[in-house]
Amino acid sequence: MYELLICFVAGIGAGLGTGFAGMSAAAVISPMLITFLHMEPYEAVGIALASDVLASAVSAYTYGKNKNLDIRNGLVMMVSVLCFTLVGSWISSLIPGATMGSFSVFMTFLLGVKFIVKPVMTTREAMEGVSLKKRFAQSVICGIFIGFICGFIGAGGGMMMLLILTSVLGYELKTAVGTSVFIMTFTAFTGAVSHFAIGGSPDWQILIGCVLSTLLWARIAARFANKASAVTLNRATGVVLVILGAAVIAVNYLL
């Protein structure tokens, strides 16, 4: 019962982060499983990435249904991300567990503050004004970096993608989140398969508990986000990220 409670609570945070901001579930689930269930970091990251797959897929479907998903331009970045997710996952298997998960601990919190203080108000028209050649080059380079992060620590990929899509590629927020969760569906699947192939089968009870809880809350968050105005979505996303970031920092450094 204790294990299922931890999975449910972790899924709440991971699902809200995925549905609102395309955040990787690993940013919340991994430290929760490692701290409260004393799970090996590599297995925890694999479970978190597996939890990401359905949650990101259902979120992407919801954003796509509301025409807030850019598949064409997202595919270019996805190819780079997928290739380097495999590279990052293999390298992370060679690194001592104690060093994993610390790279992006503060990233979620700081990005949440950014959305509250300086919201993304880019319009769809402005987003589509960027030349295809420039966006292609940026997508390839950024995808390499994001994929390596996602595979290496299982956290930070979604946040880096959201930051790059809004700040570098000039996406408006809803389309950025929709495109991010679309890409994360495939990167999370690739990362999870890589982790389980290298590290062995996970604890199935914990895996199923995390997957179901994350899926439920991601669906709820994605439906709310697509109905909200740009200002409301920025604030809601910022608040969720700040709370989740603070929680992850507390789990990593205070408990």
Side-chain angles (χ1 to χ4, degrees):
M1 182 62 70
Y2 174 72
E3 290 183 345
L4 291 179
L5 177 62
I6 294 300
C7 292
F8 182 73
V9 173
I12 293 175
L16 291 178
T18 299
F20 272 118
M23 187 181 79
S24 171
V28 177
I29 292 178
S30 296
M32 290 283 286
L33 297 183
I34 293 168
T35 301
F36 295 107
L37 300 183
H38 307 293
M39 183 175 288
E40 283 295 318
Y42 196 75
E43 181 182 2
V45 170
I47 289 176
L49 287 169
S51 301
D52 240 345
V53 178
L54 289 179
S56 293
V58 75
S59 296
Y61 171 77
T62 303
Y63 279 92
K65 189 169 65 172
N66 288 275
K67 295 181 170 47
N68 291 314
L69 172 59
D70 184 5
I71 296 179
R72 184 183 64 184
N73 293 313
L75 285 173
V76 176
M77 183 180 290
M78 186 178 74
V79 172
S80 295
V81 171
L82 283 174
C83 291
F84 279 82
T85 295
L86 287 170
V87 175
S89 180
W90 175 70
I91 293 178
S92 71
S93 69
L94 307 177
I95 305 297
T99 66
M100 292 176 60
S102 61
F103 180 76
S104 62
V105 163
F106 295 97
M107 187 175 183
T108 302
F109 181 85
L110 294 176
L111 191 56
V113 173
K114 185 262 183 190
F115 279 119
I116 295 174
V117 175
K118 189 179 180 181
V120 176
M121 300 302 292
T122 305
T123 63
R124 190 182 298 273
E125 291 74 19
M127 178 189 80
E128 294 174 349
V130 180
S131 70
L132 293 178
K133 184 179 293 186
K134 180 179 180 181
R135 181 166 290 169
F136 178 87
Q138 290 174 328
S139 297
V140 171
I141 295 172
C142 294
I144 291 173
F145 182 57
I146 293 168
F148 182 81
I149 290 177
C150 182
F152 184 67
I153 58 176
M159 289 294 89
M160 284 300 301
M161 207 174 307
L162 182 63
L163 181 62
I164 287 171
L165 287 173
T166 55
S167 301
V168 179
L169 300 183
Y171 277 55
E172 55 96 17
L173 185 56
K174 288 184 182 180
T175 306
V177 176
T179 304
S180 176
V181 290
F182 170 73
I183 297 173
M184 284 302 296
T185 301
F186 298 95
T187 59
F189 177 78
T190 304
V193 170
S194 299
H195 273 67
F196 296 151
I198 296 171
S201 297
D203 185 311
W204 289 102
Q205 181 175 327
I206 293 177
L207 173 63
I208 293 172
C210 288
V211 167
L212 293 179
S213 181
T214 305
L215 176 61
L216 170 65
W217 291 99
R219 174 65 170 161
I220 293 172
R223 293 188 67 180
F224 173 83
N226 277 278
K227 294 179 180 179
S229 66
V231 174
T232 301
L233 181 57
N234 270 277
R235 289 174 179 169
T237 301
V239 170
V240 168
L241 293 180
V242 166
I243 293 174
L244 293 179
V248 172
I249 292 171
V251 167
N252 275 275
Y253 294 104
L254 302 180
L255 297 179

